[in-house]
Each structure stands twice: as structure tokens, then as C-alpha cells.
């Protein structure tokens, strides 16, 4: 009900009577909410009276902005590119190592199988990598396993942190179905039945079709885990005999707090089975006879598993395997032994081992510098085009002649 304005009454009295009438109407239980009670609060936010700033984009404001952004990103890109150039790195592709003749002495690797960058390359202390392979005895019925030995040179001292990575190509961890294939409740040791796993995100690797038991850990990510192993590099003497180890740690290779996503399992070994690839694999994730009591895989204590479960955003990626933050890798010839267990032929990819240093901007990542320099170049180009347009065909800001109703030739009618 609206209050009528009564003659002879002040505005204050009218407002008071209106408020009283609203309160009276609210007290009446007529089954309807008073229209006046539905009014929004009289605030700047509710009544859309907030102060706002609307920039006027003119040539005098846009041109300096584009030039400023160009200078800023040019400086950032130049510093980033110059910094990562100081990061020493050696990349060795050992995909075809198992194709070598077993038991033969080391032979020189093809030039397209390795790549290196050292800021102060000592050519007299550098020689092309060599490799050899031998087969490893495995239980009957298991696939043949190989041990690849790589000999490589370090021409400069590598200090202030030495990191060992593995790299895969053409492996699409960013596929939507793949990256969703994990059960976080299972990783937190919460009760999960085989039906829950099979009907959830882990399908089709939630339940074993032969035994009907739940798979632990379930899903495509865990099933395809990288299981090659890398020993510590060994310094060789002139007779190519190991004389010392460069000790590297497999701890602290995950992001801070990553372990909180996992808890040690308390499942009975008789109620769960390993993923299918783990049953037929060798290496640290090989369980050819399934789980035994007291020997169930523990994701909380395995940092390599945690590194793999954080999926990569691109089909070519590297993941940290070992690190040494204190010692210096001296100049010399080294030997690296790799347990070659992981098949890459099934997806047409390659695998490499990377020995690298890092800088304050991270590893040797040239893409970041290139991206920043590209943004600087784009902004500078736009600034030049805008300046040329204003010089050739100038336009006065706020010219009302460009309005459609003031310019009949551009009117819609």
C-alpha cells in the first residue's frame, strides 16, 4: 500500500508514517510480502552508485602505454634470455640404446642423439658421448630388461646445484581423460570398494577384470608411470674405470607440500592388486606376483610417484629425478648406468636423460625469454602503426562529426 501525501504535513512526518505503515504491513500475516519491504538497501553498492573511473583512450595516452609495455617486456625478456644462457646443460637421447648389440664395447653416439650447452666450453676436455647395452636376467615369463651405460664428458665445472631429469616426447599427459584418471580418496587412504573405483574417475582401470579386486593405485596415470632408474654419475680414470661417485639425492624433488595429497595405505594386500603394467614390469614399480602382506606400495614415501602424478601441460616434458645442491661436478669423463625398463615405442615417443644446472629464473628455458621479447615487439609494432595512422590521417579526439546522426553518409538509413 502506498502512502498518500496529506496536505499540511511535513516531509519528515510523511516518511515516519510511511515507515510505520511498512512495519504494520509486515506484522500482518496475509501470506504476501509487502512490496515496500522488497526494496534493496539504500547503499552505494546496492543502488549502483559506486565511484568509477572510465579511461579515455586517446593517442596521447595509448602511445606512451604501448611504448612503456614494450620497453618493460624487452628488458625482462633480455635479462631472462641472458640468464638462462649461463645454465650448463647436457641432453642425451637413449631411446635406441636397447637396439645396440648386447655385450659390445661402448661405441660413439650419433650426433643427433645428444645436445649440450656450456657457457665456457673447454673443447679439449669434451668428447662425444658413448653408449653400450647389456641384458639383465629376469624371472621367466617377464619381459627382457636392459641396462644402458652412457659415457659422457663434463668440460666445465657444474656448481650451485646439479639436477638430473628425464624427458619424454609425444606423451600426452594433458589429455583430459588421462589427467582425470585418479581417485584422490584412494590416495588419502579412505575406504573405496572396487565398484566405487570402477564407476568413478579411474574407469576402466578401477577394478581388475580377472579377480574383481580394486586396483591400487587406480587410473591411467599410475598405470603408465615412468620406471627407468638412473644411478649416480661415476667419475672415470684414464682407463675408463670408476674412481668416485657424484652422489645425488632422490629426496626433495617434488613441490613443497605435495606429500599432503597422499597417505600411507592400510588396505589388506589380499583385497587389492597393482595396476596392469606394474604386474608385467620390472624396476621400482614392478610387482610380477602382486601385492604381499607388508609390501603394498606406499605413495607417500615415493617421491618419484608424486612427481609423475603431477601431470605435464605439454606432450614434451621433463621431470626431476635427482639433485645435488651442494657439491660441484668436476671436469672429467663420467659413466651413467640406466636401467632401461620403460617402453616408448608404443606411443612413438623418445626418452632422454638431462644433466643441468639452474639459475634464478629456473632451468634452461629459452621459451620464457622469447615470449617476453615477442610481447615487446608486438607492442612496439602497434605503437608504430598507431603513430603512423595519426600522422597520415590525424583525428581529433571527441570529434562529434563521426557520430552516425551527424554524418548522414554513415547512417544506417
Amino acid at each position: 500500500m502506498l502512502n498518500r501525501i496529506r496536505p499540511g504535513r511535513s516531509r519528515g512526518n510523511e516518511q515516519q508514517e510511511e515507515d510505520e505503515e511498512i512495519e504494520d504491513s509486515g506484522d500482518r500475516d496475509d501470506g504476501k510480502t509487502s512490496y515496500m519491504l522488497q526494496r534493496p538497501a539504500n547503499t552505494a553498492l546496492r543502488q549502483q552508485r559506486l565511484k568509477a573511473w572510465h579511461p579515455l583512450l586517446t593517442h596521447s595516452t595509448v602511445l606512451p602505454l604501448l611504448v612503456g609495455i614494450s620497453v618493460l617486456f624487452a628488458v625482462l625478456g633480455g635479462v631472462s634470455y641472458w640468464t638462462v644462457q649461463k645454465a650448463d646443460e647436457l641432453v642425451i637421447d637413449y631411446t635406441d640404446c636397447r637396439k645396440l648389440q648386447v655385450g659390445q664395447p661402448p661405441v660413439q653416439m650419433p650426433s643427433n642423439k645428444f645436445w649440450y650447452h656450456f657457457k665456457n666450453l673447454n673443447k679439449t676436455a669434451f668428447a662425444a658421448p658413448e653408449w653400450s647395452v647389456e641384458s639383465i636376467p629376469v624371472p621367466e615369463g617377464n619381459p627382457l630388461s636392459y641396462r644402458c651405460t652412457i659415457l659422457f664428458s663434463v668440460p666445465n665445472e657444474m656448481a650451485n646445484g646439479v639436477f638430473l631429469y628425464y624427458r619424454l616426447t609425444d606423451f600426452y599427459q594433458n589429455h583430459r581423460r588421462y589427467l582425470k584418471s585418479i581417485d584422490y580418496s584412494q590416495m588419502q587412504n579412505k575406504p573405496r570398494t572396487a565398484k566405487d573405483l570402477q564407476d568413478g574417475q579411474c574407469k576402466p582401470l578401477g577394478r581388475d577384470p580377472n579377480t574383481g579386486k580394486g586396483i591400487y593405485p587406480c587410473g591411467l596415470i599410475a598405470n603408465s608411470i615412468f620406471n627407468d632408474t638412473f644411478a649416480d654419475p661415476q667419475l672415470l680414470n684414464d682407463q675408463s674405470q670408476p674412481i668416485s661417485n657424484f652422489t645425488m639425492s632422490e629426496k626433495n624433488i617434488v613441490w613443497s607440500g605435495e606429500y599432503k595429497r597422499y597417505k600411507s595405505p592400510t588396505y589388506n594386500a589380499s583385497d587389492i592388486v597393482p595396476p596392469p603394467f606394474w604386474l608385467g614390469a620390472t624396476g621400482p614399480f614392478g610387482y610380477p606376483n602382486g601385492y604381499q602382506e607388508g609390501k603394498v606400495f606406499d605413495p607417500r614415501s615415493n617421491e618419484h610417484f608424486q612427481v609423475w602424478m603431477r601431470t605435464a601441460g605439454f606432450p614434451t616434458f621433463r621431470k626431476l629425478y635427482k639433485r645435488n645442491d651442494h657439491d660441484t661436478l668436476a671436469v672429467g669423463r663420467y659413466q651413467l648406468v640406466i636401467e632401461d625398463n620403460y617402453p616408448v615405442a608404443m606411443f612413438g615417443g623418445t626418452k632422454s636423460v638431462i644433466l643441468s644446472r639452474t639459475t634464478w629464473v629456473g632451468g634452461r628455458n629459452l621459451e620464457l625469454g622469447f615470449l617476453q621479447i615477442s610481447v615487446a615487439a608486438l607492442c612496439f609494432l602497434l605503437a608504430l602503426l598507431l603513430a603512423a595512422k595519426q600522422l597520415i590521417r590525424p583525428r581529433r579526439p571527441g570529434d562529434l562529426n563521426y557520430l552516425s546522426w551527424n554524418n548522414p553518409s554513415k547512417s544506417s538509413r
Side-chain angles (χ1 to χ4, degrees), residues 323-370:
R323 64 188 299 169
N324 184 313
D325 299 313
H326 309 291
D327 301 328
T328 298
L329 188 64
V331 176
R333 190 74 168 173
Y334 287 84
Q335 170 182 283
L336 179 65
V337 179
I338 304 173
E339 300 290 340
D340 190 350
N341 305 312
Y342 195 73
V344 295
M346 64 177 65
F347 57 88
T350 63
K351 54 184 179 179
S352 306
V353 59
I354 302 175
L355 201 64
S356 176
R357 288 180 58 242
T358 60
T359 62
W360 63 271
V361 294
R364 184 176 171 79
N365 183 9
L366 300 178
E367 288 77 7
L368 180 60
F370 283 145

Side-chain angles (χ1 to χ4, degrees), residues 93-96 98-99 167-171 226 228 340-352:
D93 182 348
Y94 66 97
T95 306
D96 297 331
R98 60 172 60 193
K99 296 180 181 179
R167 185 182 72 176
L168 296 179
T169 64
D170 292 333
F171 193 104
F226 184 82
D228 282 0
D340 190 350
N341 305 312
Y342 195 73
V344 295
M346 64 177 65
F347 57 88
T350 63
K351 54 184 179 179
S352 306

Side-chain angles (χ1 to χ4, degrees), residues 35-222:
Y35 171 76
M36 300 303 294
L37 288 177
Q38 299 178 18
R39 292 185 305 177
N42 187 21
T43 62
L45 177 63
R46 300 293 295 274
Q47 297 298 335
Q48 301 184 14
R49 295 196 303 269
L50 291 175
K51 295 181 179 180
W53 176 70
H54 181 69
L56 295 178
L57 301 179
T58 63
H59 297 86
S60 59
T61 58
V62 174
L63 277 174
L65 180 63
L66 289 175
V67 173
I69 294 176
S70 176
V71 172
L72 174 63
F73 276 90
V75 172
L76 291 176
V79 171
S80 298
Y81 184 81
W82 174 77
T83 302
V84 298
Q85 284 290 348
K86 298 192 300 181
D88 299 332
E89 186 169 275
L90 175 65
V91 182
I92 299 176
D93 182 348
Y94 66 97
T95 306
D96 297 331
C97 186
R98 60 172 60 193
K99 296 180 181 179
L100 300 174
Q101 188 172 356
V102 176
Q104 293 297 311
V107 297
Q108 183 172 322
M109 297 182 64
S111 59
N112 63 343
K113 293 298 182 181
F114 65 92
W115 179 92
Y116 60 90
H117 173 83
F118 294 94
K119 61 179 180 180
N120 298 314
L121 178 61
N122 183 2
K123 295 184 179 180
T124 60
F126 182 81
E130 298 177 338
W131 56 358
S132 62
V133 67
E134 58 180 319
S135 59
I136 303 175
V138 294
E140 184 177 356
N142 288 349
L144 189 63
S145 184
Y146 298 88
R147 179 181 290 118
C148 182
T149 301
I150 298 177
L151 308 180
F152 63 92
S153 297
V154 176
N156 304 342
E157 286 188 349
M158 300 179 66
N160 301 327
V162 181
F163 298 84
L164 191 146
Y165 303 87
Y166 62 87
R167 185 182 72 176
L168 296 179
T169 64
D170 292 333
F171 193 104
Y172 290 83
Q173 275 199 318
N174 56 357
H175 191 281
R176 181 184 62 85
R177 185 68 187 89
Y178 181 89
L179 60 87
K180 292 175 59 179
S181 188
I182 180 176
D183 191 286
Y184 291 103
S185 296
Q186 187 190 51
M187 293 295 95
Q188 288 287 323
N189 194 36
K190 296 179 180 178
R192 303 291 287 167
T193 65
K195 185 177 185 306
D196 294 336
L197 299 175
Q198 185 67 10
D199 295 342
Q201 298 288 357
C202 285
K203 185 179 181 181
L205 295 181
R207 178 174 55 197
D208 181 51
N210 299 321
T211 63
K213 299 178 181 180
I215 297 176
Y216 180 84
C218 69
L220 298 172
I221 309 177

Side-chain angles (χ1 to χ4, degrees), residues 27-39:
D27 294 338
R28 294 194 298 269
D29 187 13
D30 54 1
K32 298 181 180 179
T33 304
S34 171
Y35 171 76
M36 300 303 294
L37 288 177
Q38 299 178 18
R39 292 185 305 177

